[in-house]
Structure formats: C-alpha cells, structure tokens
Amino acid sequence: MAVPEVLLQSGVSSLLNSINSVIQSLGVSVLLPIIIFLIALAFRVDVLKAARSSILIGIGFIGINLVIGLFSENISPLAQQMVEVTGITLPAVDVGWPAAAAIAFGIAELGVWMIPLFVVMNLVLFAIGFTYTLNVDIWNYWHFAFIGGLVYMSTNNWLYSVAVGLTLGLFVLVAADWTQPAVEETFDTPGISIPHGTSAPYAVAAIPIHWAVDKTPLGNIEADPDAIQDRFGILGEPIFVGLAIGLVIGIAAYSNALFVAESWYAILTAGISFAAVMHILPMMVGILMEGLTPLSESIRNYMTSRFEDRDMAIGLDSAILIGHESVIASSLLIVPIAIVMSIILPGNDVLWGIDLATFPFFFALMVPIMNGNIVKMVVTGTILLIPLHYISSAVAPLLTQAAGSAGFDLGGRGLITSPVADAGSPATGILALIPAPVALAVALVIVLGIWVALRMWPQRMYMVAGASEEKARETVERRHTGKGGGLLPNKIGSSVDATGAEGRSDD
Amino acid sequence: MTAKNILVVCGTSVATSTVVKEALKEKLPARGLDIGTIAKAKATEAPGKVSSGNFDLIVTTTQLNQDKFDIPVIHTTAFMTGIGQDEVLDDIAAALED
C-alpha cells in the first residue's frame, strides 16, 4: 500500500513544483494580469475592457519596478554610507505605501485573490446585518493582502494568512460603521463610510490616547491650520519633501567630505533622485489603479444592486477626507517630528522616505475625534509614532521577503519598510507580530467587542468617534430602532429610550 | 470653443482621482464638450498646479478651500459611489460652458 501512496505524493509534488516554476519564471507582471483578467470576467467585465485593464496592471508593475530600481540604486547605497560615516544605523528604508500596495497585490501566494474573498465576506456580513457598509473601494483591499502576505511570509500557512487578511477586513467594516456618523457630519459625505486599512486602526488607537491628552493642558491650545498650510505653502508638496530628505541623507552620507566638490554632486543627485521617486512612484501606481477601475465598477454594481432597498453606507477611500485643512496641516507638522524620533528612539531601524507623504491617511479619521484641533492631532500622532517605529522595524524583514515574492528587485540591498501604511500600524502590530492563532483571537475579541458595544450603546459609541449628540441620536433612530434588514439585531438590550439615559450619563 | 482642461484632485492623486478621470474621459465627450487634458493632483499640489493657469475647472473628491482658487471647484463622490453621476456631469458641463 505504501508504494503507490509515495508515488502519488511524488506525482502531486512534482506537479506543484512545475506549477511553481512556471509561476516563478512568468513573474508578477505577467501572472497578475492573467489573474485579474479571470477575476474581471467572473464579475462580468466586458472582455476587451478586461484585457485592457489587465495589460495596464502588468505595465503598472513594470513601472513600479523601474522606480524601485532607481530608488535602490541611488538611495540605498547612500543610506549605507550614512551608517558608516555617522554611525546612525537605520537599515530599514521606507519605500512608502505605493510600493507596499504593489507588493501586497503581487505576493504570489495570496495577493489579488483577496479581492473575491473579501467581496464574498462583505456581502454575507451585509446580508446578515453584521455591517451597514458595502466596501466598494477594491483598490484598498491591498491592506488585507498586505497583512495576509506578511503572515504568509512568517507562517507559510495559507489558511492563517487568509484568516488574518479577512480579520483586518472585518475590523475596517466595523470601524467604518462606527465612524460613519462622525465622518458624514465633519466632511459632509452623506451615505459614505470609510473602511480604510490605514486610517481606521490609527484612529481607533488614537481614541484612548486622545482621551489622556485632553486631560493635560495641551488639550486647551488652539492653532490655525490655514495659517500653517499657507506658511508651508508649496513647500508642503511631496517633491519638496522628497528633495529635502534626499539632501539630508546625502549630506549625512558625505558629512566627512563636505568641502569636496564631488560630494556635492552626489548630494544634489540624491536630492533630485528622491524627489523623482516621490513624484513618479504614485504615477506608476496610478497606472495600476487605472487598470483596476473597470473591475472596481463591476464589483460596485455587483454589490450594491443586490441590496437596493436596504439602508447602506458605501465604503470609500479615506483619500476623500484628506483635503481637510487640519489633515494637511497636521501632516506637515509631524514630518520633522518623525525624522527626529527615528534618530533618537533606541533600537529603531526605520529610515524615513516616501511614507513621509502618507501622514494624511494617518490623521484622516482623527479629525472628528479631536474636532480638527491640530495640536491634539499632532500630540496624539507623536505618541502613536513610538509603536509605529518599532512595529515597522520589526516587520521589515517580512516585508522585504514579501517584496521578493512579488517579484520586486531590491538588488539585495538591505531591508525595506513602509512605516505609515501599513507596516507600523497597530493592526499590523497585533496581526503580524503576534503568532497567528493568538493574534486572530486577540483581533476577533477587539472587533466583536466594538461590534457589541455599537449595538448596546450606539449613541455613546458614535459620540466617542466624534459625532455630535444630535447626529448620534439621529443615526440611532435611523439605524438602531425597529427591525433591521438582516438576521442580527440592530440593538442589544433596552430599546431607544435608553439613548436619553446614555446622553445624560455621558459626562 | 477651445478645449477645456480639468484638474482632478484627491488625497493621493492615485486612487479616487483615477476613478473620476476615467469616468470623465468616458462620459464628457458624449455631452459634446471639447476636453483637452484631464490631469490628476494631490490636494496639497492643487494650488501650485492651478496657479499655472492651464486649468478651467477642478473636480475634487475631497474638501478643498474654494477661496484659494480662481476657477470653479466641484466636490463630488458620485463617481465612486455610482449615485448621482448624471447630476454631477450636468454641473460639470455647465461650469465648462461659461
């Protein structure tokens, strides 16, 4: 009996091996278009449109690889030299969210498969009344692929990675429902919620920190965001931030030879290269996004057309919140703080780069919680920067390995990370750094805890997320009274009249 | 009528602005409008790009301080949610015809 079993096993494993070697030799820029093409056809995208989309996605990957190549040729050696000259050891270079997103979708073992998996989960959760959000922002499913991919790198276990990716998906849906009234009120976006993998974890972590900050004298200071934005003006653009960072790294790398003309050629080149990466990388990712757009439209129609008569929130990208002046002002102010912290925090590995332009996503959902007070936002943000540095340092090896799996050529030059989105997020800390079974249990307790609290004390919860009492009560009346569309209850415990008592006990 | 140039603004100039750009590219010519370039920008880049004087209209998915611009600003999420696209396209066409 043993013999044929062995034969069978070796047959299966040689088949798997040859599939693997085909995948390896094709590379992501070919494989991903094929997968996207199939997913697009499954969601009834027109064949020619699906073909065009898929090709654009391949092109986007090749473009991103070119820019990452530019980065690792020009910046990584300088960072290395900086270490030798100044003794500042920051081996994990920040390649930013655009690269992180591309890596996430490109990870051979999981990547874009997260798209259909999440769509199915969201539809089921909406149908049973677990969530009010239909997350049609498929681009931002990359966050789920990202965390799942990191877990795959550490466990080699496909089931764990999918479970972890979907758990983050579950969390952002609950967080989107929780923050929706506050978001609608602050940003004037009726019917929209924000299930965003970067913004939601930071905002939820910010709630207790802000509560403590508010008790200190810092809670009483006001600053005018418009004045700050005007003062920084055009200097707040990513190309100027990139130029400045490139020059600083260049000067540090050549600080022992600043009176040599050749050093300055290299320093100025570093500045312009960094600015170039900062400007070009989002464009390349934009090509990827253009490719995903028809699929995203089909999925949106597929999802929303099923529940036309139900009260729903359409889940969109927190990019729509980022024009708010307190977001822009806080994101400018925190850049120098982050750089100083990266140097003084003992044991930090992060060398800041592209993600210095990603702070708007970090702050977006904090605006309603802190009433747009930029002093509170920056102080709370600074406290969150401490775990951010350590978490993104700790996951750098996993992300570097994931980049390899996604076919990005880093030229073997050290580690990469993307501190703001999402390598340093509290969600990454829990889901990727704690061993998978424990991490899943912890995350599910948090998510279900928030979910139950939203059903037990909805008005109070909405106010904690930053909604006014009036807005919170209005949402409770619309959403948590009477029978909902799904199987699960809209309200646990006493009915509406409890909201009055809650309002009183709130202070 | 000369071709009109539109600046599409969002938080990153990558995600939602791409959705809007693709929708405008597909739907505006059907309304008989002569569209030149449709460019994308981050919210922080918008004042700089508009000051070049090349643009006739801003379509933004995020709040912008309208006082900072001397061209019309239309704020919409219709192209992402799929709700109310026609009305917004009417507004855009009206703003471009002036």
Side-chain angles (χ1 to χ4, degrees):
Chain A
M1 279 306 285
V3 178
E5 214 166 90
V6 169
L7 273 181
L8 183 71
Q9 272 182 9
S10 76
V12 169
S13 75
S14 75
L15 177 68
L16 283 178
N17 278 339
S18 51
I19 291 177
N20 257 337
S21 75
V22 170
I23 290 175
Q24 297 277 318
S25 33
L26 277 180
V28 177
S29 58
V30 178
L31 201 62
L32 204 61
I34 297 173
I35 299 171
I36 288 284
F37 183 72
L38 296 176
I39 296 177
L41 290 186
F43 282 103
R44 309 227 168 91
V45 177
D46 173 82
V47 179
L48 278 179
K49 257 194 182 172
R52 181 175 182 274
S53 292
S54 315
I55 297 166
L56 277 172
I57 284 168
I59 294 172
F61 262 89
I62 288 177
I64 293 162
N65 220 344
L66 285 176
V67 184
I68 290 181
L70 173 82
F71 189 82
S72 57
E73 265 166 45
N74 288 295
I75 305 297
S76 302
L78 272 184
Q80 201 54 45
Q81 197 173 326
M82 184 184 86
V83 171
E84 284 155 21
V85 173
T86 63
I88 302 172
T89 316
L90 302 173
V93 182
D94 161 21
V95 294
W97 76 266
I103 291 168
F105 273 149
I107 294 169
E109 295 85 356
L110 186 66
V112 289
W113 292 113
M114 221 50 225
I115 294 176
L117 289 171
F118 180 87
V119 168
V120 169
M121 180 177 87
N122 195 171
L123 287 174
V124 170
L125 291 177
F126 187 89
I128 64 173
F130 183 89
T131 180
Y132 305 102
T133 294
L134 284 177
N135 181 2
V136 303
D137 178 25
I138 68 158
W139 167 252
N140 277 302
Y141 293 8
W142 77 260
H143 302 274
F144 320 142
F146 178 88
I147 193 75
L150 292 183
V151 170
Y152 190 86
M153 293 305 139
S154 64
T155 63
N156 248 347
N157 185 318
W158 197 78
L159 265 183
Y160 274 152
S161 341
V162 170
V164 164
L166 290 178
T167 302
L168 181 64
L170 195 67
F171 170 75
V172 298
L173 287 174
V174 172
D177 290 339
W178 183 10
T179 53
Q180 191 203 349
V183 166
E184 278 186 349
E185 192 174 39
T186 309
F187 299 97
D188 188 23
T189 51
I192 288 167
S193 66
I194 309 292
H196 196 277
T198 303
S199 305
Y202 287 119
V204 171
I207 289 174
I209 298 172
H210 167 248
W211 181 84
V213 168
D214 212 18
K215 302 271 177 243
T216 69
L218 287 169
N220 297 321
I221 308 173
E222 292 275 349
D224 179 13
D226 218 26
I228 289 163
Q229 206 187 327
D230 281 346
R231 191 155 307 154
F232 279 90
I234 209 165
L235 293 176
E237 284 189 22
I239 55 170
F240 285 98
V241 176
L243 182 74
I245 296 291
L247 291 177
V248 167
I249 294 175
I251 289 171
Y254 286 92
S255 54
N256 59 347
L258 283 179
F259 298 103
V260 182
E262 279 74 19
S263 304
W264 282 95
Y265 301 153
I267 292 167
L268 295 174
T269 307
I272 208 77
S273 305
F274 217 116
V277 172
M278 220 65 173
H279 193 67
I280 302 172
L281 194 51
M283 289 181 174
M284 297 303 181
V285 180
I287 300 175
L288 214 60
M289 181 62 200
E290 194 183 331
L292 274 178
T293 301
L295 177 58
S296 131
E297 262 173 35
S298 289
I299 290 183
R300 179 186 74 209
N301 296 336
Y302 178 86
M303 289 172 93
T304 55
S305 64
R306 276 174 167 59
F307 302 103
E308 265 161 356
D309 48 344
R310 285 261 300 269
D311 171 33
M312 68 168 87
I314 307 278
L316 296 183
D317 193 336
S318 47
I320 66 168
L321 312 181
I322 274 160
H324 197 276
E325 50 196 18
S326 67
V327 175
I328 297 180
S330 307
S331 306
L332 290 169
L333 289 173
I334 206 161
V335 165
I337 298 175
I339 294 170
V340 170
M341 284 178 86
S342 72
I343 295 166
I344 61 175
L345 281 179
N348 166 58
D349 288 344
V350 175
L351 176 65
W352 281 98
I354 315 282
D355 253 2
L356 286 174
T358 313
F359 280 109
F361 288 90
F362 175 88
F363 283 120
L365 286 175
M366 295 185 204
V367 177
I369 298 169
M370 303 174 204
N371 253 331
N373 178 318
I374 57 175
V375 176
K376 292 189 203 176
M377 287 167 71
V378 171
V379 172
T380 308
T382 303
I383 295 168
L384 278 169
L385 277 179
I386 299 169
L388 179 145
H389 278 98
Y390 291 115
I391 297 169
S392 49
S393 298
V395 299
L398 293 177
L399 183 56
T400 308
Q401 202 185 334
S405 162
F408 289 105
D409 181 13
L410 304 168
R413 294 187 186 88
L415 299 171
I416 58 164
T417 191
S418 59
V420 179
D422 285 341
S425 115
T428 304
I430 292 173
L431 290 168
L433 292 180
I434 304 177
V438 183
L440 279 172
V442 171
L444 285 174
V445 167
I446 295 172
V447 174
L448 295 177
I450 296 174
W451 188 88
V452 169
L454 266 176
R455 264 57 180 183
M456 289 182 76
W457 313 287
Q459 178 174 343
R460 197 161 176 178
M461 286 293 281
Y462 290 143
M463 287 169 68
V464 165
S468 69
E469 191 175 341
E470 196 189 354
K471 179 74 185 178
R473 188 176 306 129
E474 180 198 308
T475 312
V476 172
E477 274 162 22
R478 196 182 77 231
R479 190 172 267 179
H480 298 279
T481 54
K483 199 177 152 6
L487 299 165
L488 295 174
N490 283 317
K491 183 80 179 71
I492 298 174
S494 49
S495 58
V496 242
D497 53 283
T499 59
E502 273 169 40
R504 275 198 298 283
S505 67
D506 209 3
D507 228 316
Chain B
M1 193 173 85
T2 53
K4 302 287 188 180
N5 301 324
I6 302 173
L7 187 66
V8 183
V9 175
C10 80
T12 56
S13 79
V14 172
T16 57
S17 56
T18 306
V19 174
V20 174
K21 181 182 172 182
E22 293 301 299
L24 294 182
K25 237 167 51 183
E26 191 177 316
K27 288 163 185 157
L28 284 180
R31 295 181 176 238
L33 291 162
D34 185 8
I35 302 299
T37 50
I38 304 179
K40 299 187 289 182
K42 298 177 180 60
T44 48
E45 295 169 337
K49 287 210 173 175
V50 169
S51 67
S52 69
N54 291 336
F55 294 98
D56 302 289
L57 174 71
I58 295 174
V59 178
T60 177
T61 65
T62 185
Q63 286 180 335
L64 286 180
N65 185 348
Q66 310 214 352
D67 302 340
K68 288 205 166 84
F69 304 99
D70 52 4
I71 55 174
V73 177
I74 292 178
H75 178 197
T76 176
T77 49
F79 298 106
M80 285 94 72
T81 62
I83 300 162
Q85 292 190 46
D86 283 336
E87 289 82 347
V88 174
L89 284 167
D90 289 341
D91 291 346
I92 292 171
L96 286 176
E97 268 157 14
D98 293 343

